Amino acid sequence: MNDEVCLIGWKEEYPPTKEVWQPVFETLLRCGGNIVIPGTDLPKTGIHQELAVEMGLWVTHHHAEPLGAEMFLRAYPNETASYKENAALFEKLWIDAINKQKNDKIIWTLSFRGQGDTPFWSTDPSFDTPQKRGKLISEVVHRQFELIKERVNNPVCCMALYGEISELYKGGYINVPEDVIKVWADNGYGKMVSRRQENENLRISSLPMDNDTSPQGIYYHVTFHDLQASNHLTMTPLPIGILTNELENVLETGGKDLWLINSGNIRQHLYPLDLIKEMWKKGKINSSDHRGEFLKRTYASDSKKLSLLYEKYSEATLYFGNHEDEKAGEQFYHHPARRIISHWLSGETDTAMKSLKWATGEMSFEEQITWFKDRLTVGLTDLQLLREQANEIMDTLSEENKQRFHDQLMVSIILHESGCRGFLLLLKG
């Protein structure tokens, strides 16, 4: 449950209470799941991990919180978050986390990224080669593994080969301890390639290695949060057929030992989550047949008239790049807009925006504005048509289905159409 902001606010208490988390874990159990990362970077005083264990779930950790330890800068805000300088402080956090959880059903996550879930060398430029970076990551995860084995009998461990770590591993710069489950990750947009880091997008395959006999799994995003073009509050814009193919490829290459699905929240992602549930139960499904079954179960008598809208949703969302997975989520309308406003107000409009090169490539600021306007103009036509069709059908639904459709799909359509329209008006201004 990463970036679970919609779980916050139901009650005044923070972090979310038992009444909020219990139906989340129950949903997972009803879907045949048995493991959870119960909240990321939430205060350790929360009930979430204790409740997950109480309900019989295995617990594992987010790659930004190896071993379930508190993030370094939260524990030591006045210290430098450098393992090179403060190894003892890092290891104290890891040991405290191991001792706290050693009697529970834990899959211990080995990892080492920087604070705020970024590459650690972004704040330590001395690690300026793949060799140096891979050497430190290898040393850290082997040390984490040693600390666990000293305190836990027969521990089950995994290592998150996420983003730049998968690139380093495939380049031969990282050594993973034996029998540790290798957890590969998609790029945040549903494609099993390494994720974009600011303007760098190497797209190195992150599929499990089919010649690897050790256990392997995946960390797969149904929702993502990158402050660029991701979907966080809206349903994934990735065509369902591509999602299905990616997961079939994962299974074919051996990634079947551990599946971690980043759902962020639940309600607005029910359709892709249900499809993934069927994939982990059956191994192979027909995405068209699944859509019909899901809608019939969800909307009963109104399912047939809604099927085409669910199919058209991914068709109407716009592309921001040339690859099949480079479909824009709602963050595409908001975060580039904020950057453009800031750049305009700075008065430096004669210089290009480096922070938007990931989208536009090398061009002047004026050309960047035109690039976004052209994309949004094409996208708005399709999104307006989709919203009109959705409004027409919504008027014909029963009251119960009308509310359900509004929450599960209509909100996503509204956020796309209004976001696209608002960003385009900003650029014209």
Side-chain angles (χ1 to χ4, degrees):
M1 299 301 298
N2 189 18
D3 300 318
E4 60 278 11
V5 293
C6 290
L7 297 185
I8 297 167
W10 293 96
K11 289 176 167 283
E12 289 185 12
E13 296 92 337
Y14 179 81
T17 60
K18 179 178 180 178
E19 292 83 357
V20 176
W21 281 107
Q22 191 164 2
V24 173
F25 299 151
E26 181 182 337
T27 300
L28 174 62
L29 289 164
R30 287 179 179 273
C31 288
N34 64 348
I35 181 171
V36 69
I37 300 175
T40 302
D41 196 27
L42 290 180
K44 299 302 179 184
T45 56
I47 189 69
H48 39 285
Q49 182 154 337
E50 178 186 335
L51 180 63
V53 171
E54 180 186 320
M55 293 178 71
L57 289 162
W58 284 77
V59 167
T60 190
H61 317 111
H62 190 263
H63 51 254
E65 297 180 313
L67 312 189
E70 188 172 9
M71 287 193 185
F72 185 92
L73 284 180
R74 293 203 182 281
Y76 306 112
N78 298 318
E79 299 288 345
T80 302
S82 166
Y83 186 76
K84 184 174 62 177
E85 295 181 27
N86 283 311
L89 294 180
F90 271 99
E91 291 185 14
K92 183 183 185 305
L93 292 177
W94 299 336
I95 291 169
D96 289 346
I98 295 167
N99 289 334
K100 183 177 180 180
Q101 303 168 88
K102 64 183 179 181
N103 296 319
D104 298 333
K105 295 193 299 184
I106 304 294
I107 298 180
W108 303 91
T109 295
L110 314 177
S111 183
F112 191 65
R113 297 194 86 209
Q115 302 298 292
D117 198 13
T118 59
F120 63 83
W121 53 85
S122 63
T123 55
D124 191 344
S126 67
F127 291 91
D128 55 359
T129 67
Q131 290 84 355
K132 292 178 183 178
R133 296 165 181 176
K135 184 174 183 291
L136 181 64
I137 292 170
S138 298
E139 289 175 357
V140 168
V141 297
H142 277 269
R143 181 59 180 150
Q144 291 171 347
F145 195 43
E146 289 173 4
L147 293 173
I148 296 167
K149 288 195 296 181
E150 289 170 2
R151 293 163 176 80
V152 180
N153 293 325
N154 302 315
V156 182
C157 298
C158 67
M159 180 170 173
L161 299 176
Y162 183 67
E164 72 287 343
I165 296 181
S166 71
E167 295 168 1
L168 290 169
Y169 178 78
K170 287 209 166 179
Y173 301 109
I174 291 178
N175 176 260
V176 178
E178 193 174 350
D179 295 328
V180 169
I181 305 169
K182 298 182 184 74
V183 180
W184 302 88
D186 72 302
N187 62 347
Y189 292 81
K191 191 73 174 176
M192 294 301 295
V193 295
S194 58
R195 67 168 288 190
R196 183 174 59 249
Q197 300 285 352
E198 296 299 333
N199 292 319
E200 184 179 77
N201 193 15
L202 300 180
R203 293 183 66 89
I204 295 172
S205 172
S206 61
L207 278 169
M209 300 177 74
D210 56 9
N211 60 347
D212 191 337
T213 57
S214 64
Q216 300 185 93
I218 57 167
Y219 181 94
Y220 195 80
H221 293 84
V222 168
T223 171
F224 191 47
H225 186 63
D226 68 353
L227 308 182
Q228 289 183 333
S230 55
N231 73 296
H232 180 46
L233 297 176
T234 58
M235 189 171 71
T236 175
L238 184 72
I240 290 296
I242 297 175
L243 186 155
T244 307
N245 289 339
E246 288 298 292
L247 294 180
E248 287 178 355
N249 289 337
V250 164
L251 291 170
E252 288 173 3
T253 52
K256 58 185 180 181
D257 296 290
L258 172 62
W259 276 24
L260 298 170
I261 310 301
N262 185 343
S263 63
N265 303 294
I266 294 179
R267 193 169 195 179
Q268 64 267 56
H269 309 296
L270 282 184
Y271 173 42
L273 285 173
D274 191 81
L275 182 139
I276 294 172
K277 179 247 316 188
E278 291 297 303
M279 288 289 293
W280 82 50
K281 283 187 170 184
K282 299 175 181 177
K284 195 176 183 70
I285 65 170
N286 180 294
S287 56
S288 180
D289 290 345
H290 168 263
R291 182 173 63 250
E293 292 165 3
F294 169 79
L295 293 175
K296 186 175 181 179
R297 189 171 71 248
T298 306
Y299 297 103
S301 58
D302 292 319
S303 63
K304 287 185 179 179
K305 65 179 73 171
L306 293 173
S307 181
L308 189 60
L309 282 178
Y310 271 77
E311 187 175 0
K312 284 186 173 182
Y313 172 76
S314 61
E315 295 175 2
T317 54
L318 58 94
Y319 283 95
F320 64 86
N322 298 321
H323 298 282
E324 63 180 1
D325 55 295
E326 292 182 328
K327 299 278 281 183
E330 85 284 346
Q331 291 198 347
F332 182 75
Y333 315 118
H334 303 287
H335 294 286
R338 293 179 183 188
R339 292 178 185 274
I340 287 170
I341 291 169
S342 297
H343 194 70
W344 177 265
L345 291 175
S346 74
E348 298 178 0
T349 53
D350 56 336
T351 61
M353 291 191 63
K354 292 181 180 179
S355 62
L356 295 182
K357 279 174 58 180
W358 61 267
T360 65
E362 290 281 0
M363 57 177 66
S364 69
F365 179 61
E366 187 174 343
E367 289 171 329
Q368 287 178 314
I369 296 292
T370 301
W371 185 94
F372 276 99
K373 282 173 66 177
D374 290 345
R375 285 284 196 287
L376 294 164
T377 299
V378 173
L380 184 58
T381 300
D382 293 335
L383 290 169
Q384 284 179 329
L385 179 60
L386 179 66
R387 185 169 180 177
E388 290 167 4
Q389 292 172 333
N391 281 330
E392 289 177 7
I393 290 179
M394 192 167 174
D395 290 339
T396 70
L397 303 179
S398 67
E399 287 304 310
E400 182 181 357
N401 282 343
K402 189 177 293 185
Q403 184 68 53
R404 186 171 287 133
F405 173 68
H406 176 271
D407 295 345
Q408 291 189 27
L409 185 62
M410 192 65 178
V411 166
S412 291
I413 294 173
I414 291 170
L415 287 175
H416 271 283
E417 190 272 339
S418 62
C420 183
R421 182 161 38 87
F423 192 9
L424 187 56
L425 287 170
L426 168 73
L427 296 174
K428 288 179 178 178

